[in-house]
Amino acid sequence: MKITAAKVIVCAPSRNFVTLKIETDEGLTGIGDATLNGRELAVASYLTDHVIPCLIGRDPQQIEDIWQYLYKGAYWRRGPVTMSAIAGVDTALWDIKAKAANMPLYQLLGGKSRTGVMVYGHANGKDISQTVDEVLRYKEMGYKAIRAQSGVPGLEKVYGVGRGTMFYEPADADLPSEHDWSTEKYLRHTPELFDKVRAAVGPDIHLLHDAHHRLTPIEAARLGKDLEPFRLFWLEDTTPAENQESFRLIRQHTTTPLAVGEIFNTIWDCKDLIQNQLIDYIRTTVVHAGGITHLRRIADLAALYQVRTGSHGATDLSPVCMGAALNFDLWVPNFGIQEYMRHTDETDAVFPHAYSFKDGFMHPGEAPGHGVTIDEALAAKYPYKRAYLPVNRLQHDGTLTNW
Ligand SMILES: O=C(O)C(=O)C[C@H](O)[C@H](O)CO
Ligand SMILES: [Mg+2]
């Protein structure tokens, strides 16, 4: 088999997505997600100008060799743009291989390890009472795991609090909008939020929370301790993880399980965190961490240390990524949970898919490949529209801080 053509499709049905489509001389095609929120065109150019010319004529069945060729062959390794581009290729190649075998991708990876993929949904509200109501609504819809985020009194705009319900899109303007931040207000408010949420939802629902990189290690340690009575499934992204060592301090102070990794691109970003057992869940994804081929490597390392997977699944990861992730999740032995932020009907129409949700669990479906396709004619009706993530400033003096 040979790769005869490849193209990048950029479209914006409700938000921007970058999709790579690979064609072969045997008529089989595969698609991969290469979306990088706010930097979509950089990945599109990386693929069109630098990667696609290297793919033409290669055997698409040699997934490992092509992965190594793109990773080592560029000389310049790692980084979100490179690794999202490699992920787009890798996902499309796994799609082709599974279609050639006439199997859903999870079968090719080794078959299913579980009956379904437990996912967590996003409940949020402008204050505690609205957030509690939303958590109860998610429980009603069948979710077994729910992430709770709420507005903080005295802060105008906070990550995780949407303008509507059931859909949350943080990339909200064509230049970065500005949020305000006060760690003191947030640390005062969040334990109270979980006190109320836990009391309302009962002991059996898994509760999660995302601090979105905004704390220092010692502040994170304090939050972890304060949340211990409410038995969280995980506390996510408490502090930036460029310095993996900083998680040791948090770990020394709290038994609240820690999750991190949605912005990681390679195994090198989490090697120390995993080997020193400083985290409980690794959140790397198919699209931002080099595709199925590399994610499998990370999961295998994590398994040695009883760290489980909990892949990122926000709306900026396209349905193509979700389809691939669900196949991966159904197979991976050390699975923990999968994030599931529902896409809009517009997005779903452009990306018809075999996956489904029932009673808090998802299933990738039985279609050959990863089970997601793209309606190119419909995609063409939604041209790219620049949209950026916000930035954050400290409320008391305007210093730029982590968003
Ligand atoms: O889903 C999450 O946990 C996030 O933190 C979402 C991110 O803000 C989003 O993917 C940024 O593009
Ligand atoms: Mg997050």
Side-chain angles (χ1 to χ4, degrees):
M1 208 188 300
K2 288 220 177 326
I3 296 174
T4 49
K7 68 173 168 189
V8 176
I9 303 157
V10 179
C11 61
S14 304
R15 64 160 354 278
N16 292 313
F17 295 111
V18 179
T19 310
L20 178 71
K21 180 175 181 184
I22 295 181
E23 294 174 19
T24 65
D25 57 352
E26 295 190 13
L28 287 172
T29 62
I31 59 172
D33 181 22
T35 307
L36 184 61
N37 204 0
R39 296 294 182 268
E40 295 86 358
L41 300 184
V43 187
S45 159
Y46 190 105
L47 282 166
T48 305
D49 299 324
H50 304 295
V51 170
I52 289 176
C54 303
L55 294 178
I56 307 303
R58 286 183 187 279
D59 180 353
Q61 295 172 107
Q62 294 181 2
I63 300 177
E64 187 66 53
D65 183 67
I66 291 178
W67 195 96
Q68 299 295 337
Y69 179 80
L70 294 176
Y71 183 78
K72 295 177 176 158
Y75 186 66
W76 311 106
R77 302 183 187 193
R78 307 165 66 192
V81 174
T82 297
M83 297 310 288
S84 300
I86 293 179
V89 175
D90 187 77
T91 308
L93 295 182
W94 278 104
D95 194 24
I96 290 171
K97 198 183 256 308
K99 283 177 181 165
N102 198 26
M103 288 177 182
L105 176 55
Y106 75 82
Q107 291 289 12
L108 209 55
L109 292 172
K112 59 180 168 196
S113 303
R114 54 197 54 82
T115 51
V117 174
M118 183 169 74
V119 295
Y120 69 92
H122 286 213
N124 63 73
K126 65 176 179 12
D127 53 25
I128 291 181
S129 104
Q130 208 180 73
T131 308
V132 168
D133 289 349
E134 281 297 292
V135 168
L136 294 176
R137 204 150 72 91
Y138 271 83
K139 185 180 175 188
E140 195 68 11
M141 286 187 285
Y143 284 84
K144 309 290 179 258
I146 304 165
R147 188 185 93 160
Q149 307 288 138
S150 133
V152 175
L155 292 182
E156 214 170 300
K157 283 188 183 165
V158 175
Y159 165 77
V161 182
R163 283 161 296 182
T165 51
M166 304 311 294
F167 178 70
Y168 171 62
E169 178 48 67
D172 58 2
D174 68 351
L175 287 175
S177 59
E178 304 225 342
H179 289 191
D180 52 346
W181 182 248
S182 156
T183 297
E184 296 75 19
K185 287 177 178 152
Y186 170 75
L187 288 183
R188 219 166 32 232
H189 173 76
T190 306
E192 194 192 333
L193 166 70
F194 278 92
D195 186 16
K196 298 276 174 11
V197 167
R198 180 54 87 198
V201 83
D204 293 332
I205 294 290
H206 298 302
L207 291 176
L208 300 86
H209 182 68
D210 189 350
H212 222 253
H213 319 277
R214 290 167 302 190
L215 305 176
T216 64
I218 198 68
E219 291 162 354
R222 193 177 125 206
L223 179 63
K225 268 173 95 164
D226 287 352
L227 292 178
E228 278 173 22
F230 315 116
R231 296 283 188 269
L232 262 59
F233 184 92
W234 83 32
L235 177 59
E236 174 187 338
D237 283 353
T238 49
T239 200
E242 281 106 329
N243 180 12
Q244 297 180 41
E245 182 64 20
S246 63
F247 273 66
R248 191 180 298 282
L249 195 145
I250 310 170
R251 197 61 153 177
Q252 280 165 350
H253 289 282
T254 181
T255 56
T256 294
L258 303 175
V260 71
E262 66 182 39
I263 68 167
F264 294 176
N265 311 125
T266 70
I267 199 164
W268 303 104
D269 299 326
C270 49
K271 176 179 158 288
D272 297 346
L273 288 168
I274 291 172
Q275 288 182 329
N276 294 308
Q277 293 178 286
L278 301 180
I279 54 170
D280 301 280
Y281 296 93
I282 180 67
R283 282 183 42 72
T284 40
T285 57
V286 174
V287 56
H288 298 137
I292 297 277
T293 298
H294 196 63
L295 200 58
R296 190 165 64 169
R297 216 139 272 157
I298 295 173
D300 282 345
L301 174 69
L304 301 182
Y305 300 92
Q306 299 196 46
V307 172
R308 289 182 282 174
T309 65
S311 285
H312 187 202
T315 39
D316 49 296
L317 289 70
S318 93
V320 181
C321 178
M322 182 54 74
L326 290 169
N327 277 276
F328 184 86
D329 296 336
L330 201 62
W331 157 74
V332 70
N334 50 325
F335 172 74
I337 201 165
Q338 168 69 51
E339 179 179 13
Y340 174 48
M341 218 167 170
R342 311 148 76 98
H343 287 110
T344 62
D345 291 344
E346 251 181 358
T347 299
D348 284 339
V350 169
F351 297 98
H353 49 76
Y355 61 76
S356 57
F357 171 90
K358 192 170 175 233
D359 291 335
F361 287 81
M362 290 183 77
H363 196 285
E366 298 297 335
H370 52 50
V372 186
T373 56
I374 181 165
D375 180 336
E376 290 183 59
L378 191 57
K381 296 194 175 140
Y382 299 103
Y384 168 80
K385 205 167 152 233
R386 193 176 68 203
Y388 286 157
L389 292 169
V391 295
N392 223 2
R393 290 189 184 277
L394 293 183
Q395 196 178 44
H396 69 280
D397 69 357
T399 304
L400 198 94
T401 185
N402 302 313
W403 170 70

